[in-house]
Amino acid sequence: QVQLVESGGGLVQAGGSLRLSCTASGRTLSSYHMGWFRQAPGKEREFVAAISWGGGSTIYADSVKGRFTISRDNAKNMVYLQMNSPKPEDTAVYYCAAAPKYYSLSLPSAPATYAYWGQGTQVTVSS
């Protein structure tokens, strides 16, 4: 019902900045809460940030709070993750995900709540 494609990943120096983008096609983006997740080698997928369908609410993992910012532009069918002052431990494949807003009573952070996923984009932070 919605297709997601991430872009913007790559190699970044610690203390620099990087912006990830997620482009959606198909059903109107405003029908979904949107989230960013990441998965490092040998680790489970973990929550990074989420934004409500209208953009009025955001939540962040403690590990990225104050450094990363999630935003969305429903008119452009885009979701962003601004990564400031990234650390080597932020190295992972980052995934954009969509949760139908009628599936949850509040902005979710659980991966199981997100029904649609992008292919992922690699972010590598060098020290």
Side-chain angles (χ1 to χ4, degrees):
Q1 293 192 325
V2 62
Q3 295 78 46
L4 307 173
V5 179
E6 303 94 336
S7 62
L11 178 65
V12 63
Q13 188 175 1
S17 64
L18 193 68
R19 189 174 80 160
L20 306 184
S21 298
C22 175
T23 302
S25 61
R27 196 176 293 272
T28 304
L29 189 61
S30 62
S31 297
Y32 304 92
H33 303 302
M34 299 299 296
W36 285 97
F37 296 79
R38 66 188 183 188
Q39 187 165 22
K43 295 185 177 181
E44 293 186 351
R45 179 178 51 189
E46 70 172 344
F47 170 76
V48 176
I51 186 167
S52 60
W53 65 272
S57 298
T58 58
I59 55 173
Y60 296 91
D62 288 341
S63 59
V64 306
K65 192 174 299 181
R67 299 187 297 116
F68 293 4
T69 302
I70 187 171
S71 61
R72 68 190 298 163
D73 187 337
N74 288 343
K76 296 181 179 179
N77 290 329
M78 298 287 291
V79 183
Y80 308 96
L81 184 68
Q82 179 68 41
M83 304 171 61
N84 293 334
S85 300
K87 304 175 181 179
E89 51 263 43
D90 295 320
T91 295
V93 176
Y94 283 71
Y95 297 92
C96 177
K101 61 183 180 181
Y102 51 83
Y103 280 5
S104 61
L105 298 177
S106 60
L107 185 59
S109 61
T113 309
Y114 290 81
Y116 306 99
W117 297 81
Q119 84 289 347
T121 185
Q122 176 71 46
V123 173
T124 302
V125 183
S126 64
S127 60

